Amino acid sequence: MAASSDKEREAIAPRGPLSRLTKFNTKFLLVTGISVLLGAVLNMVVARQGIHRLSEKSTREIEAGLNTATREYLTNHIDDKAQHTNFVLKHAYSDLEIAASIVQQSIDYGQDIEPMLDAAGALPVLKDKLSYNPKGNWYQNGPNEPGAVTVWGYLLNQGTIPPSVQQSVDRTAWLDLIMPSFKSHGADKLQIYYVGPRETPIVRMVPYTDTGGESDKKYPGHNEKVWYDFFFPGLLESWMEWTKSPDWLKQTRDQITVLPPYEDAAGGGAVMTVFHPLWSKDRLQFAGCVGIDLTLAQLIESIKDVKLAQTGFAFLAQSDGNVLAVNEAGATTLGLRSSSDSSEGGVGLLMRRLKDSKDPVVASITLPTNEHVDYHEFTIAGQQHILVLQQLQALNSWAGASINKEYWTLGFVVPKNEMYASLIAAQNALEQSRTTIVTTQIFITMVSFLVLMLGVYLVSRKMTGALVALSAGATRMREGDYSVRIDVDSRDEIGQLGVAFNDMASEIEAYTNNLEELVGERTRALEKANEEISELNAKLAQENIRLGAELNVARQLQLMVLPAPSELQEIPGLDIAGYMAPADEVGGDYYDVLRSDGLVKIGIGDVTGHGLESGVLMLMVQTAVRTLLAANEKDPKKFLSIVNKVIYQNIQRIRSDKNLSLTLLDYSDGKLQLTGQHEDLIIVRKDGTLERVETMGLGLPIGIDLDISDFIGSIEVALEAGDVATLFSDGITEAEDSSEEQYGIDRLCQVISRNHERNSKEIKDAIIEDVLAHVGYNKIHDDITVLVIKRV
């Protein structure tokens, strides 16, 4: 028995307790650690890939939206700037036309007012005190007079002024009374001057400039040829070509003539001259000209005020690509080369053509041939740029050969990376967020791994320590059977050892179960965290999709509701032009022109506020009107009442507090029938008579009550050939300048009256141009809508 017990104890006893303990701990730790670490790594990889895909998708959607927004912004911006530039140039041209008209009238009534002109020239205050310059061989007055008067040497007779030339000087002395005022007021001008006819081309210039001295310095030989032939050879002949036209005496021609930039002989620097010829009373003989000089600095100042991102710029070019106005940074970017082109020693024309650019991409730029905005992307010096081009209104241009219609072009150039700065910032933010999330995940995983491995190590050591102390049950315990119990049959030391073993086995089993629950709980926590990250990724993706959809709706609303120009042109008997510019991405103004069975239905409305909700309500109105028209509803009052009910019910359904003003017009056989409340209808008759038709008593705002049929009224207005009817929103009359003064309906009526003989598009353009001139650089706070209807 003793031998047998010894053998059993030997079999049960562990061999090399320390090495076995070490071996068990190592395996247990390796298996547990690798499993946890592998799960954590896979979790981080999946999370990182999800974030990466989300980042790429968000970037693509943001870039698509930014592309469209950038194009719309630059297109609208250049259109506004083009209208402003046209306005500035027209302002200067108008001053010149007024001055030329006054001088032309003095020529037309020359014989009747010659005594008055002679008397005026003899007055001390107007008498020109001319003195001879023997070196230059010309006469000129002193600097203490209002303006300079120069008589050239080829007009002299042995150093004296002939009587006929002196008579020309005396009879134009009265110009000293008006030319300073034209110089000081109106459009900003460098100088204004009068040049006599070819026979006596004396020069009067305001403000006073040493014209003779400056010409001697810069243009040797000028005093040997007639002023026109030397400084502007061919210009006078080009004007005379007009008189050869059979319709010359019948037609009203725009005689404003613009010259390319040149170096001014009077010391004004680089200028652009604008001439208006003068004619004899029968309009067949040339009688001189009136001109103004506009400095290039003025044009550049206007152009460089355009703010395009950080380094973007604007430029103004002639039809041959000669750049008239651009700031220094823009000229450097475009690689322009400056040169001067003179003809027979005359005025040197400034030339900076795009085709002569140092950069071949810039040299290949083609200017637009119509009024549509051109939008391009190209690369200059390795950097991508956006180029937007807009053609300006036509003008008479002379460049040395003949006078032709020319269209200048306004251009915007802006680095693409500056316009896309928000996209780059978003990409960097997403990348930084992704890096932060991954770094945090790694840190949490490593800390959790270390804590878990420490717990596993402590538990395993305690388990193996208990197994070393056991004898008979040690083998089964090592096999993982923690439910083993030793039967205790005695109360001696062995029984006590069995009791102790059983107690320890129970404790080990319980602790093992707790360990599995702890691992399970940790695993569940990690899974929950992973689910939360996945849910967050899904929410972010949904939010980006929603934002993209909202932007898409905002873009499409304007295209869906407004009638196309081709639709308006198809309406017989009416010439219609419309304009709508929203204050935000989506406007709340509405106008539409529809046809059905010989009836033209015209609508204009204004939803309270602006933005997406107002745009949706505007779309509801357009749909309701089109549906009722298709249903052949003819009664205007019933028509408007049904529209109100539909809009009211929709407003209640979407729980909105919006409403709108709405006027519907039915046109047929020269009659306009108005129904509904909106702004006044302005009518200018063919003879210029102005009428305002008030609509406040024709209804109530749409959408404030279910039934407004008792409040709806109607009025009929006759529209004869040549009459102009204008509809507008309060965004026109309430547009404010920098001093918060509103545009007002009176000014609107004046603009329509001045232009009522023109076609509807020209009237519409005149209104918008005048409103933008009033607003200037101030922010437009409300949608602007105007609809011009002219019976033809």
Side-chain angles (χ1 to χ4, degrees), residues 512-545:
T512 301
N513 292 335
N514 291 337
L515 178 61
E516 292 177 354
E517 292 177 1
L518 181 61
V519 173
E521 181 181 352
R522 181 62 65 185
T523 303
R524 289 191 296 272
L526 292 175
E527 291 176 350
K528 183 178 179 181
N530 188 37
E531 290 176 358
E532 291 177 352
I533 292 175
S534 300
E535 184 179 353
L536 177 60
N537 292 340
K539 289 182 179 179
L540 289 175
Q542 292 175 358
E543 180 65 16
N544 279 282
I545 292 173

Side-chain angles (χ1 to χ4, degrees), residues 470-749:
L470 293 175
S471 56
T475 302
R476 293 177 60 187
M477 294 288 286
R478 283 197 299 271
E479 293 174 351
D481 184 10
Y482 299 110
S483 63
V484 64
R485 297 294 185 269
I486 298 175
D487 297 331
V488 179
D489 298 328
S490 63
R491 296 183 180 274
D492 56 6
E493 290 82 4
I494 300 223
Q496 292 177 2
L497 180 59
V499 172
F501 176 83
N502 290 338
D503 292 339
M504 286 188 294
S506 298
E507 293 178 1
I508 291 172
E509 182 181 11
Y511 202 87
T512 301
N513 292 335
N514 291 337
L515 178 61
E516 292 177 354
E517 292 177 1
L518 181 61
V519 173
E521 181 181 352
R522 181 62 65 185
T523 303
R524 289 191 296 272
L526 292 175
E527 291 176 350
K528 183 178 179 181
N530 188 37
E531 290 176 358
E532 291 177 352
I533 292 175
S534 300
E535 184 179 353
L536 177 60
N537 292 340
K539 289 182 179 179
L540 289 175
Q542 292 175 358
E543 180 65 16
N544 279 282
I545 292 173
R546 184 188 69 78
L547 291 175
E550 185 170 311
L551 284 175
N552 186 54
V553 171
R555 292 193 299 269
Q556 293 300 321
L557 276 173
Q558 304 301 321
L559 300 177
M560 291 167 57
V561 176
L562 300 180
S566 59
E567 295 180 35
L568 302 179
Q569 294 172 1
E570 294 175 356
I571 299 176
L574 294 180
D575 177 17
I576 304 177
Y579 176 90
M580 198 271 278
D584 289 335
E585 292 86 352
V586 182
D589 281 5
Y590 158 78
Y591 80 85
D592 206 351
V593 182
L594 304 169
R595 286 195 302 164
S596 177
D597 297 333
L599 176 69
V600 179
K601 176 74 72 172
I602 303 170
I604 185 167
D606 184 0
V607 182
T608 55
H610 40 79
L612 182 59
E613 186 177 347
S614 297
V616 171
L617 187 55
M618 178 184 67
L619 183 59
M620 293 178 185
V621 174
Q622 195 271 350
T623 303
V625 171
R626 183 176 286 272
T627 302
L628 288 173
L629 189 63
N632 204 25
E633 177 58 55
K634 298 295 187 179
D635 187 345
K637 295 182 180 180
K638 184 177 180 182
F639 193 107
L640 184 62
S641 179
I642 295 174
V643 171
N644 174 73
K645 288 181 179 179
V646 172
I647 298 305
Y648 175 81
Q649 292 169 351
N650 282 345
I651 288 175
Q652 296 303 311
R653 171 173 287 183
I654 64 176
R655 298 180 181 179
S656 173
D657 59 352
K658 300 285 186 181
N659 60 75
L660 72 149
S661 62
L662 177 64
T663 292
L664 298 177
L665 299 86
D666 294 335
Y667 173 80
S668 179
D669 299 328
K671 302 293 184 181
L672 272 176
Q673 188 168 8
L674 284 75
T675 309
Q677 180 189 101
H678 189 62
E679 303 294 330
D680 290 358
L681 171 67
I682 300 175
I683 298 178
V684 178
R685 301 296 181 184
K686 183 178 181 180
D687 60 0
T689 304
L690 176 70
E691 300 176 11
R692 285 171 52 181
V693 180
E694 185 177 348
T695 65
M696 294 301 293
L698 302 182
L700 292 177
I702 302 299
I704 65 172
D705 197 2
L706 178 63
D707 186 4
I708 63 170
S709 57
D710 293 339
F711 300 96
I712 297 176
S714 181
I715 188 173
E716 187 175 271
V717 178
L719 199 63
E720 304 293 340
D723 292 349
V724 178
T726 304
L727 299 164
F728 60 94
S729 68
D730 58 4
I732 293 282
T733 55
E734 295 177 4
E736 296 181 347
D737 58 12
S738 57
S739 61
E740 299 183 353
E741 180 180 352
Q742 294 188 348
Y743 183 77
I745 192 171
D746 292 336
R747 182 166 175 177
L748 175 60
C749 293

Side-chain angles (χ1 to χ4, degrees), residues 150 152 154 193 195 201 203 205 211-236 259-260 262-267 273 275 341-349 398-400:
T150 307
W152 306 111
Y154 50 78
Y193 47 90
V195 183
V203 177
M205 184 173 295
T211 308
E214 292 293 334
S215 297
D216 288 347
K217 293 178 183 177
K218 296 187 176 182
Y219 302 108
H222 73 94
N223 207 15
E224 299 173 2
K225 297 180 69 174
V226 175
W227 188 88
Y228 294 101
D229 294 341
F230 182 85
F231 287 103
F232 305 104
L235 176 59
L236 192 152
L259 277 65
Y262 63 91
E263 190 69 21
D264 181 37
T273 295
F275 280 123
D341 180 20
S342 60
S343 176
E344 298 183 3
V347 172
L349 306 180
W398 178 83

